[in-house]
Amino acid sequence: MEENNKFISRVLPLEERSEAAWFFAFQENKLLVQQQSSQLTIPCLLDFAELGLPVLRQHYLGQLDRRHCYTVELAEGIIPPEGTAFEGLRQVYGRLDEDLFWVAGRAVQIIDWDRTHQFCGRCGSHTRTHPTERAKECPQCGLLHFPRLAPAIIVLVARARRFPTVMYSTLAGFVEPGETLEQAVVREVKEETGIAVKDISYFGSQPWPFPHSLMIGFTAAYESGEITLEDEENIDAGWFSADRLPALPGKISIARKLIDWFLEKQGRSPEVDPRGIKKR
Ligand SMILES: [Zn+2]
């Protein structure tokens, strides 16, 4: 998977800012975007107050291509200024520069963490923002509350036959406390489909800000068993060959990157020859 190191994360700016900054502003989980011809962009301003919108909370995020980035929460019910709109993060994917999109994914999680950690989970006191770390600190008992991150595995299972097949599915699940990632892969596949897998290898990872997951992708090989679907969420699970895939997940997702990787390995490119792929 592609690496993106253009963004440098920081809790506080290193120096006084004299240039315009990106402001990732949210109302609930909707992002304030500006129309710029057919594309969307993020407000880039010297001071967010220029927009005249009341701010509930603000955090510094770091720098994208040396430009400072902030995340801001806006009160409910305010009307977006002319030329701007509030849009869901998933809806702006593909219309917003990809680097800005992923910073927005960080931004929404920082705002959500601040909003949901106003009180200490141990003693109930009002927390305060730690001066130098990305943490909320309890002044009473000292407990630190860091941004939540829920690791989840996602796996593509390939079955070697004369024509290799793949189990397409959004076969994914949260890692349990005390479990390795590999154990989570084996358990999830077994629980959701009844089959056993082997040869688990790491594929890549992806932050998934809906609301605060980290998707860790794997590939695995079929070992034994028949698919038996135990819960109704996965009625789609099954073996599919590269030229007979069902509707694919969106390009944004690591699930799709796993499937595209499999297609490439089979010498097929969904970009070049979509004829064999049934699209919904
Ligand atoms: Zn406390």
Side-chain angles (χ1 to χ4, degrees), residues 120-125 127 138-143 145:
C120 176
R122 181 155 66 194
C123 76
S125 303
T127 57
C138 175
Q140 200 61 38
C141 74
L143 188 64
H145 305 77

Side-chain angles (χ1 to χ4, degrees), residues 102-278:
W102 291 111
V103 180
R106 288 172 179 260
V108 69
Q109 294 183 77
I110 298 302
I111 286 296
D112 183 64
W113 155 75
D114 188 342
R115 188 199 291 141
T116 56
H117 290 81
Q118 293 291 304
F119 296 92
C120 176
R122 181 155 66 194
C123 76
S125 303
H126 219 296
T127 57
R128 61 186 173 208
T129 301
H130 192 283
T132 56
E133 288 190 52
R134 189 76 76 202
K136 305 285 281 183
E137 187 177 28
C138 175
Q140 200 61 38
C141 74
L143 188 64
L144 292 173
H145 305 77
F146 298 98
R148 273 184 296 178
L149 202 53
I153 58 89
I154 180 155
V155 56
L156 177 141
V157 183
R159 184 173 192 173
R161 280 180 174 168
R162 186 158 162 249
F163 302 104
T165 55
V166 60
M167 185 191 293
Y168 155 79
S169 122
T170 46
L171 230 156
F174 289 112
V175 180
E176 293 183 351
E179 196 172 50
T180 66
L181 297 172
E182 290 80 0
Q183 287 168 338
V185 168
V186 170
R187 176 182 53 76
E188 278 295 333
V189 176
K190 185 80 183 165
E191 277 177 13
E192 296 192 16
T193 66
I195 67 167
V197 293
K198 59 179 181 180
D199 302 338
I200 296 159
S201 43
Y202 177 67
F203 175 79
S205 65
Q206 183 183 56
W208 192 243
F210 309 105
H212 43 72
S213 294
L214 172 65
M215 304 301 295
I216 305 141
F218 291 89
T219 59
Y222 168 86
E223 188 175 58
S224 61
E226 288 299 320
I227 296 177
T228 47
L229 300 172
E230 295 193 355
D231 65 64
E232 294 188 354
E233 283 171 42
N234 288 298
I235 47 171
D236 274 346
W239 298 106
F240 300 94
S241 63
D243 54 4
R244 293 189 62 132
L245 289 177
L248 298 179
K251 283 229 172 272
I252 177 177
S253 64
I254 191 169
R256 176 61 175 271
K257 288 179 172 49
L258 276 161
I259 292 165
D260 285 351
W261 167 84
F262 172 76
L263 290 175
E264 253 172 54
K265 229 175 68 150
Q266 302 302 313
R268 290 159 205 264
S269 162
E271 294 299 328
V272 179
D273 183 10
R275 281 167 296 174
I277 298 167
K278 209 171 83 192

